[in-house]
Amino acid sequence: MNTALKHWKEAATLILAAGHRLGADTLSSRTPLTAAEGSPQGCSHGRSHLPHRSSFDYDVLLLKRSSKSGFMPNAYVFPGGLVDSSDFSSEWLDIFKSFRNSPNFGLRSVKQPAETRPPIFATDRLKLGSPIPGEVAFRICALRETFEESGVLLVVPKPEEKSLLKSVEDGCVTDKAPHCKADGLRSGELTKWRTLVNQNPSNFVRMCRELEVLPNIWALHEWGNWLTPADRYGVKRFDTAFFICCLQEIPHTLQDEKEIVRFQWSTPSEVLQSYRAQEFWIAPPQFYELSRMCRYPSLNDLHSFSSRRATEGCEQWLPVVVTRDEHYISLLPGDKLYPSDTSGKTKVDTSTIPHQDDSGLHRILIMNPYNTTLQVTITPKYNHLLPVVEPLSHDLKSPL
């Protein structure tokens, strides 16, 4: 972990999608929406109505944070949390000893040039004293936090290690969405270890050793990198690696009754509709990523896309929040008003932009906590997805 960072705490989160049975009468509707990858053309700048929840054959896991949480209390979030020094521990070398001769323990190489990689991935962890690559450690962090918060343990049993190693060598380890192998472990054992890992994150490596399992880092695909904007959520600011994982079926799930007070498996469109109905609150990154997932109502299509796209890399996103007419506009990289200096000291000049000019937009409009929409008329980098953007009503036109 990078203890030299002054303003940021490194973290990892996991977007976990899992399949459910789909009614035969909806099979024909599970086709990707247009303008899915790379281009805002062909769908009115990515705009479309959200697909009906019956179109989805998978759900996404969301966890409700405690009202006592120091960061985003009561929010529904993806599982995840702060990286711990134990995620970079040399003890993992023994757990992954069969994969030590493979770069990044068999994870596929990212094509993105090193100079454009987000620092959270590009930082040389050996220079910081850890033999565990960041690509591996942040996946371990996401898996550990998911286990702590939801009880979902994504691991590979030791007896499957040889076949996994061959799949890694053959480059086909990510061909199919995996099953949750931990469901075969005794619930009493998992409950005991979950308590121990919650007490001390370093017990995660000990658990893997004693249960003879490997954290399934290969099932997690790089998805994005969000940074907390200045002056929005208190003094805590996080540099968070986002991963995505698709499972064949929904695993046994249980909140920890401490930091997490409730869990919910729902389709992406169902979550967005519940948010707009003020049934619960989600933060802008969750809103954006769930809107992206609405492009793929099919689990297999989502898995294929996320697996294929992950080797392209990702862009670091630090939202720059502008206040205008009692509304908030969260500018994202690529927006024509996004400042070159993101320290917060540079004022964004909005006076020279015509109100009718909708070119070069990449922003989140926040009218109130439960009224958020997206404006995206740019081409996403690294072959990523455009979010599904519902048409703006007359009272939601961009104030910039």
Side-chain angles (χ1 to χ4, degrees), residues 21-77:
R21 188 176 297 277
L22 184 71
D25 59 334
T26 61
L27 287 175
S28 61
S29 66
R30 290 189 292 111
T31 55
L33 300 182
T34 56
E37 295 176 45
S39 172
Q41 304 303 317
C43 196
S44 184
H45 302 304
R47 293 176 190 165
S48 177
H49 290 289
L50 293 176
H52 191 270
R53 64 183 184 183
S54 63
S55 301
F56 290 83
D57 66 354
Y58 68 88
D59 288 337
V60 179
L61 177 61
L62 287 171
L63 307 174
K64 184 181 182 182
R65 299 179 66 86
S66 165
S67 61
K68 299 177 182 178
S69 175
F71 184 73
M72 292 188 182
N74 294 314
Y76 276 79
V77 297

Side-chain angles (χ1 to χ4, degrees), residues 233-248:
Y233 304 104
V235 295
K236 291 184 179 180
R237 300 183 71 186
F238 300 97
D239 182 353
T240 306
F242 275 61
F243 300 98
I244 190 169
C245 173
C246 297
L247 297 176
Q248 291 285 352

